[in-house]
Amino acid sequence: MDYVDQVLSQLKEKNASEPEFIQAATEVLNTLRPVIAQHPEYQKAKLLERLIEPERIITFRVPWIDDKGEIQVNRGFRVQFNSAIGPYKGGLRFHPTVNQGILKFLGFEQIFKNSLTGLPIGGGKGGSDFDPKGKSDAEIMRFCQSFMTELFKYVGADEDVPAGDIGVGGREIGFLYGQYKRLTGLYEGVLTGKGLTYGGSLTRTEATGFGLVYITNEALKAHGKSFEGKRVVISGSGNVAIYAAEKATALGATVVAMCDSNGYIYDANGVNLPVIHDIKEVRRARIKEYIKEVPSAEYHEGCSGIWTIPCDIALPCATQNEINEDSAKKLIENGCWLLAEGANMPSTLEAQEVYKKAGIIFLPAKAANAGGVGVSALEMSQNSLRLSWTFEEVDARLQGIMKSIFANISAAAKEYGENEDDYVTGANVAGFLKVATAMMAQGIV
Ligand code: NDP
Ligand code: 2IT
């Protein structure tokens, strides 16, 4: 058995109850084979064994009192996966499906994504099985305060810097920041995605969605194409989806469908984004409401139907494994020729095989959604400098980051991939090499 196979078999045995983590790590390790073959010293240093083991996982109780006076208990986590190239950095997810395996997959992906940004940030992820849906602002605040009352011991501006993810946006970051400041007395950049009046960065709200469209645009240009006149399907209607839709529309595309976890809307005229913004961001309501405002559109229950809509470009921006083999086949049968991942690991391994066989342009999450954490790192820089850059300045830097990620993954695809468009191998290898070099330099830690 070669080294990668040995580590894969150990990974499966040791993490049998964590299928999403096995999925994420299997994809990465399989694509690293040519690099591992070039570096026998990695095996001697047990580099892969160390890479797949988080440096630390913190699990804690989060008790809080709901509006009826009842005591609720949730589980909180922070996975501090890898600090070889910088302090742990990655979002917090509040969703009932959160468990250790989900956060390990997200933390593992974050290591390589953060490396690809070119900025000095390590990989981490955290969150809770708390469900923010239907909770009052006061309940959200009490939950966030309780969560931070435990987490504050393990985070800090130079140690571990959380941010948002599913279920964690500006409101939650504000409550978490207030409690951190109260407990530590420190006014420091311990979180990113902060409000603009207390250390947040312009463009962070838009960054993941905009970055996704910027890198997709780079891939389109490299293939002699553009967004102009293309039909785009975007899953989700949260932070990433909304700003991806906005930028794709600005570049001349028509976004024909979006969804939430209940169902999807189809609007052949192009989704009306102010209406979506009002429903999802202001009212925190269901996407079904859209047809009340735009009666010519259609609403269908269930989210997987969104992948049956004919499109040129698909941008999955909701959650992991939202596209399985069948959905991937339907997308391609109906004309999709480019897929870029705004969500983390939205495509199953089987779906990725379908893309590969069909030869569509495929931009994997680590590269495609790195704009969010990239601007988070710029927020950290601004906090350290005690300065705020303009929207235009941060947006220009974000465009620079996405351009350089595309150039780096293209170069690594040419050198190590199955073909020059093998951006999966390109992203994994380019992200890995910097982390591996840093780990080798720092000894057995
Ligand atoms: P939000 O909470 O703002 O929005 C999530 C969207 O996805 C909502 O429309 C939600 O629907 C839908 N969704 C969530 N879970 C499911 C599910 N299990 N099934 C179907 N639909 C679901 O999150 P974000 O937009 O921030 O995150 C979306 C994705 O992007 C995630 O994979 C996240 O990890 C990734 N990401 C986020 C970044 C960021 O900066 N925020 C950066 C990089 C990646 P509903 O409202 O019904 O729950
Ligand atoms: O998945 C991700 O990259 C995020 N949720 C953003 C992380 C961050 O630290 O900005």
Side-chain angles (χ1 to χ4, degrees):
M1 230 199 280
D2 78 2
Y3 177 42
V4 171
D5 288 327
Q6 273 172 40
V7 177
L8 278 172
S9 113
Q10 179 189 322
L11 167 87
K12 286 173 190 151
E13 199 179 312
K14 271 195 166 176
N15 303 283
S17 60
E18 298 176 344
E20 293 85 2
F21 175 53
I22 293 178
Q23 180 185 340
T26 301
E27 182 215 278
V28 170
L29 293 185
N30 272 325
T31 57
L32 294 181
R33 289 175 192 278
V35 186
I36 300 299
Q38 278 177 358
H39 292 275
E41 69 277 18
Y42 290 170
Q43 178 169 9
K44 201 151 173 258
K46 294 243 169 21
L47 187 90
L48 295 180
E49 290 88 332
R50 288 189 285 132
L51 190 69
I52 61 169
E53 199 59 40
E55 288 176 20
R56 186 176 306 104
I57 300 180
I58 299 134
T59 313
F60 50 95
R61 180 205 301 153
V62 191
W64 56 282
I65 299 176
D66 69 19
D67 286 348
K68 294 188 202 115
E70 300 257 341
I71 295 163
Q72 303 286 342
V73 183
N74 286 100
R75 192 170 279 179
F77 300 89
R78 187 71 182 163
V79 178
Q80 298 183 330
F81 221 120
N82 192 300
S83 63
I85 66 169
Y88 310 106
K89 179 86 197 87
L92 296 173
R93 176 177 291 191
F94 292 169
H95 195 271
T97 56
V98 163
N99 59 41
Q100 181 173 295
I102 299 268
L103 296 177
K104 278 176 69 181
F105 116 64
L106 289 162
F108 186 73
E109 291 278 295
Q110 202 82 42
I111 302 170
F112 307 96
K113 181 197 308 192
N114 292 4
S115 167
L116 284 172
T117 66
L119 298 164
I121 39 179
K125 201 84 187 189
S128 174
D129 58 3
F130 172 72
D131 185 359
K133 280 203 192 81
K135 304 290 189 301
S136 69
D137 285 351
E139 288 175 322
I140 298 281
M141 181 179 77
R142 289 195 292 275
F143 175 82
C144 288
Q145 289 179 340
S146 181
F147 186 87
M148 186 52 90
T149 300
E150 191 60 32
L151 186 70
F152 89 98
K153 301 166 194 167
Y154 311 102
V155 295
D158 293 309
E159 195 179 348
D160 184 353
V161 183
D165 193 79
I166 292 176
V168 178
R171 174 181 59 170
E172 292 73 20
I173 294 292
F175 294 145
L176 292 163
Y177 190 75
Q179 187 71 352
Y180 179 85
K181 185 162 62 71
R182 185 184 187 198
L183 289 164
T184 61
L186 297 172
Y187 208 104
E188 60 169 17
V190 65
L191 293 162
T192 60
K194 299 187 292 300
L196 298 175
T197 52
Y198 62 93
S201 174
L202 284 159
T203 326
R204 176 62 188 89
T205 305
E206 296 84 357
T208 312
F210 278 19
L212 171 66
V213 171
Y214 292 149
I215 196 167
T216 303
N217 203 30
E218 290 301 307
L220 286 166
K221 280 196 274 177
H223 291 82
K225 296 176 192 288
S226 79
F227 265 108
E228 194 64 48
K230 304 300 182 302
R231 286 164 310 168
V232 180
V233 164
I234 300 183
S235 65
S237 47
N239 174 263
V240 180
I242 287 177
Y243 293 97
E246 186 180 308
K247 188 54 82 178
T249 305
L251 295 184
T254 306
V255 176
V256 293
M258 294 182 80
C259 70
D260 62 19
S261 58
N262 293 109
Y264 68 93
I265 52 150
Y266 171 68
D267 189 339
N269 299 321
V271 171
N272 184 324
L273 293 171
V275 171
I276 293 281
H277 172 82
D278 180 57
I279 296 170
K280 301 304 294 186
E281 290 194 315
V282 180
R283 288 154 47 197
R284 297 182 191 273
R286 309 313 300 160
I287 206 164
K288 193 178 184 174
E289 301 283 304
Y290 185 84
I291 50 170
K292 285 192 196 152
E293 316 277 331
V294 186
S296 59
E298 296 169 19
Y299 173 77
H300 299 271
E301 284 292 330
C303 25
S304 66
I306 197 170
W307 308 120
T308 62
I309 297 173
C311 67
D312 299 292
I313 295 171
L315 304 176
C317 295
T319 194
Q320 64 275 355
N321 293 330
E322 55 176 312
I323 305 182
N324 62 15
E325 186 175 2
D326 280 351
S327 298
K329 284 184 178 156
K330 292 236 171 61
L331 272 169
I332 287 157
E333 271 164 33
N334 288 319
C336 173
W337 47 264
L338 187 152
L339 191 141
E341 298 182 326
N344 285 305
M345 202 170 77
S347 311
T348 63
L349 292 173
E350 295 76 23
Q352 285 198 35
E353 280 304 313
V354 175
Y355 309 153
K356 210 195 271 183
K357 274 206 193 104
I360 66 166
I361 304 169
F362 173 51
L363 291 169
K366 282 179 204 78
N369 72 31
V373 76
V375 172
S376 277
L378 300 179
E379 183 172 330
M380 291 164 71
S381 306
Q382 291 168 81
N383 292 161
S384 299
L385 292 165
R386 305 205 184 281
L387 285 175
S388 303
W389 298 330
T390 61
F391 186 93
E392 289 70 26
E393 176 153 11
V394 183
D395 190 42
R397 286 180 190 258
L398 170 62
Q399 293 185 44
I401 290 171
M402 300 319 291
K403 263 190 189 165
S404 102
I405 293 176
F406 186 70
N408 290 337
I409 67 172
S410 301
K414 280 198 183 86
E415 191 168 350
Y416 297 101
E418 290 177 21
N419 56 63
E420 63 174 19
D421 289 340
D422 179 0
Y423 302 123
V424 175
T425 300
N428 290 341
V429 169
F432 167 77
L433 280 171
K434 180 176 176 188
V435 176
T437 307
M439 285 177 73
M440 291 301 285
Q442 291 172 24
I444 306 305
V445 291

